[in-house]
Each structure stands twice: as C-alpha cells, then as structure tokens.
Amino acid sequence: MPEGPSVRKFHHLVSPFVGQEVVKTGGSSKKLNPASFQSLWLQDTQVHGKKLFLRFDPDEEFGSLGNISLPESLEKGERKEEASDQKQASGPSSQKISHPSSQSLELVAPRGDHGLERLRGDTPAEGAERWLQVSFGLFGSIWVNEFSRAKKANKRGDWRDPIPRLVLYFGGGGFLAFYNCQMSWSSSPMVRPTSDILSEKFDRGQALEALGQEQPVCYTLLDQRYFSGLGNIIKNEALYRAGIHPLSLGSLLSPQHLEALVDHAVEFSADWLQGKFQGKQQHTQIYQKEQCPGGHRVMKEAFGPPGGFQRLTWWCPQCQPRLPPDGQAQVQIS
C-alpha cells in the first residue's frame, strides 16, 4: 500500500478542492454510496501516516471556490509516480489484478435538498462533522482531472482500465478519482502527529523507546503507533543504510545504532516525498534488489511477529550482520 510520502502527495493534490461543492458523483464503491456526497462541501483535509481524512459538510462555510489549478510539475509527478509505484510494488511474484471496464462507471446527478437522499448508514448522524477516512490498498491512488488507464493487458488479453472507487466532480470544474481504497465515515480524524514520521512534531524519544524493545526491529518499524506512515520500502531501506540486520533485537542495539536507524527512516521518507513533488522516482539500494551497492548477494525472506502479517524483507548478510546473543558484534553505520 502507499506509504507516508505517497499519501502526503495525495493530500496536496486534494487540498486545492477545499471550499468547493460536490456537484456530481460516480464510482464503484458498495460500502459508501457515491450519491451520498452530492451537494456536500469539502471543508478540510488532513493526513496522518498512511491515512487521508476529508471533511465534508452540507453547508458552505468558506464562501469561495478553491483554486483547482495544480503546478505542472505536481501533475506530471503524479502520473510518473503512479506508474513507478505500480511497477515497484508489483515485484516479480505479485499477482496481476484485473479490473472491470471503466465504461461501467455510473455518474449520478444531484438529487434532493443538500444531497440528503442517501442510503441509510452512509454518513454519520445529522449534525456530526463528516470526516471521510481513506485507507489505500496496494495500488491505491488519487487522480486529478483525469482517470487512470490500463498500462498492459490482463491474462485474458483484455485492456481494461481500472475502475475508480469514488469520483467527485466539483463546482469549480475539476474532479478527483479515488482508486483501490477503503473509505469510512468518522466524527473526527484520528491524527497523532507525534507518531507521524513526516510530521515536524514526530517524537523521536517515543520512537527510540519503542525500538529498544526486546523484539526484532523490523517488527517495530512497521508499528504504526510509533512510526505512522512507515511501510515496507522505508523499513528495508532504513535497515540497510543503518547496517542493521532486520531480526536484530532492539534491546541489544546501542543507542547510537537506534539513533542511526531513526535518522535513516526519517531522511529516506523526506527525500522520497521531495522526489514525488519533483516527478522523480525514488531509487532504492536494497528493496527488491539481487545485489546490494557493495556487490554482495541480497537475501529475501518474509518476517513478521508470530500470528501477525509477514512482510518480505531484503537484507545483505555482509553489510547487515546479525548480532550474537550477547549483542557485542559491531554494526557498521553508514
């Protein structure tokens, strides 16, 4: 699924639509009826880790339409990153996903007073703030003023464009298309900046304390309670650049090594985000590689807590030696 830098970019793509009214809807969502957004106003957007939050309200509060024009570099970067993210995420062993034809997309014109003719349960109780929580799947994305197109034929040889889960057309003339995501309503956004690796309020002390636990650091890095927005790509890259074996117990690592690991996680994430706004593909050193930059053979195995989700992990045994039980081996810090 998209990691923190990608979702931050989605947030910037959506922000120009704040202050605009939804005038037409479409999409394939079954959990949320697309028609429930008709005549609502997008009032605010917030981002936390891998989740995007959008606040809708039946009344206009800002009195003016948002500016839907986007920097050319941002629009180009969106298209480039969409293609590179799909290629990078698919990998050699991933299954290709077939999508139904985009011709089945249904557009719904506004109905009723403030769009209140909605399916029961589509929105919170009347009077509550309508915060839409968006969690993205493996190829999740947001497209602005255009739709995603098929880049290759499926196994049957058919060229089928991906179907957007939700399409929102705004009064200013633009539209947003949401792909491969889960959406639900809530009364308020669940935002904790101290755990967001891309937030200025990220709490390094809390992160270091979590990493120091007596469990493999590769488990802790993916714990969104302490490293919100950090995903499998960032995990692999940070561990390699810090010279730490993924199964090293945090309790055996020195404070210097833990500090280096947090530094690399934050720096790689920030560089990745900056590259997205510039339309550049993020270059990885270990993720999905057969050799590390030093020319050593890379190992690959799925690691995860017992009974938990197992994530593919790439590491170099030479550059990331595993600590013995006494924790005395020296780990190289890059």
Side-chain angles (χ1 to χ4, degrees):
M1 65 179 62
E3 303 185 27
S6 296
V7 180
R8 288 264 170 171
K9 183 186 68 175
F10 298 159
H11 175 256
H12 281 271
L13 292 172
V14 171
S15 294
F17 291 86
V18 170
Q20 296 193 45
E21 181 184 17
V22 178
V23 297
K24 187 169 61 175
T25 65
S28 63
S29 176
K30 302 300 183 183
K31 182 176 181 181
L32 292 180
N33 179 22
S36 66
F37 293 87
Q38 294 166 14
S39 299
L40 295 181
W41 293 77
L42 178 59
Q43 304 288 32
D44 193 10
T45 67
Q46 294 190 30
V47 62
H48 177 64
K50 301 179 183 180
K51 296 180 180 180
L52 181 66
F53 298 90
L54 311 177
R55 185 168 73 86
F56 292 88
D57 193 89
D59 299 313
E60 179 184 8
E61 293 181 358
F62 292 92
S64 62
L65 294 177
N67 179 13
I68 65 171
S69 62
L70 294 171
E72 183 180 1
S73 61
L74 185 56
E75 291 182 333
K76 291 181 178 178
E78 163 69 7
R79 290 190 286 271
K80 289 181 181 179
E81 283 298 325
E82 170 73 10
S84 63
D85 286 350
Q86 290 198 18
K87 179 179 179 182
Q88 190 175 49
S90 61
S93 61
S94 298
Q95 295 181 347
K96 300 295 184 286
I97 300 175
S98 299
H99 300 276
S101 173
S102 62
Q103 295 178 354
S104 63
L105 176 64
E106 178 184 3
L107 300 182
V108 186
R111 295 185 301 156
D113 183 18
H114 293 302
L116 296 181
E117 295 183 24
R118 304 180 175 94
L119 295 181
R120 183 173 301 173
D122 282 347
T123 61
E126 284 298 320
E129 288 185 333
R130 294 171 169 83
W131 282 97
L132 181 70
Q133 175 180 303
V134 185
S135 300
F136 297 92
L138 180 60
F139 297 118
S141 64
I142 296 178
W143 286 64
V144 179
N145 300 333
E146 64 177 324
F147 294 105
S148 176
R149 301 301 181 188
K151 297 175 177 61
K152 62 176 65 176
N154 59 26
K155 292 182 179 180
R156 296 188 298 273
D158 299 327
W159 286 78
R160 296 183 177 231
D161 292 334
I163 284 285
R165 195 67 50 88
L166 177 67
V167 183
L168 300 177
Y169 294 83
F170 291 87
F175 69 88
L176 296 170
F178 298 76
Y179 290 89
N180 195 11
C181 57
Q182 294 183 346
M183 298 172 289
S184 60
W185 292 105
S186 63
S187 59
S188 62
M190 294 173 285
V191 176
R192 293 178 58 241
T194 55
S195 65
D196 191 326
I197 57 174
L198 286 171
S199 171
E200 295 180 353
K201 298 181 180 179
F202 177 63
D203 190 337
R204 288 178 57 90
Q206 174 182 269
L208 289 168
E209 182 178 355
L211 281 173
Q213 300 177 75
E214 192 175 353
Q215 72 171 3
V217 287
C218 70
Y219 300 177
T220 309
L221 284 173
L222 293 179
D223 192 330
Q224 299 300 293
R225 295 176 298 176
Y226 311 110
F227 297 94
S228 184
L230 195 154
N232 206 38
I233 297 176
I234 301 174
K235 176 201 76 176
N236 282 279
E237 291 299 310
L239 285 168
Y240 175 74
R241 294 163 195 237
I244 297 175
H245 191 284
L247 293 180
S248 295
L249 299 182
S251 57
L252 299 182
L253 294 173
S254 69
Q256 182 185 13
H257 296 130
L258 295 178
E259 288 276 2
L261 183 54
V262 173
D263 286 341
H264 284 292
V266 172
E267 290 171 6
F268 180 84
S269 301
D271 289 344
W272 190 2
L273 176 61
Q274 182 65 28
K276 283 183 174 293
F277 288 129
Q278 298 173 351
K280 299 178 181 178
Q281 181 178 353
Q282 179 66 19
H283 295 288
T284 58
Q285 295 183 9
I286 198 73
Y287 180 74
Q288 293 188 345
K289 303 293 185 181
E290 295 183 356
Q291 287 188 340
C292 76
H296 309 129
R297 180 186 175 189
V298 170
M299 305 296 292
K300 180 182 74 172
E301 192 170 344
F303 295 141
F309 194 53
Q310 309 294 301
R311 302 300 303 272
L312 282 177
T313 303
W314 287 261
W315 79 98
C316 172
Q318 280 70 41
C319 300
Q320 299 166 264
R322 188 167 184 177
L323 289 174
D326 60 9
Q328 295 302 310
Q330 295 296 316
V331 180
Q332 180 182 357
I333 299 177
S334 58

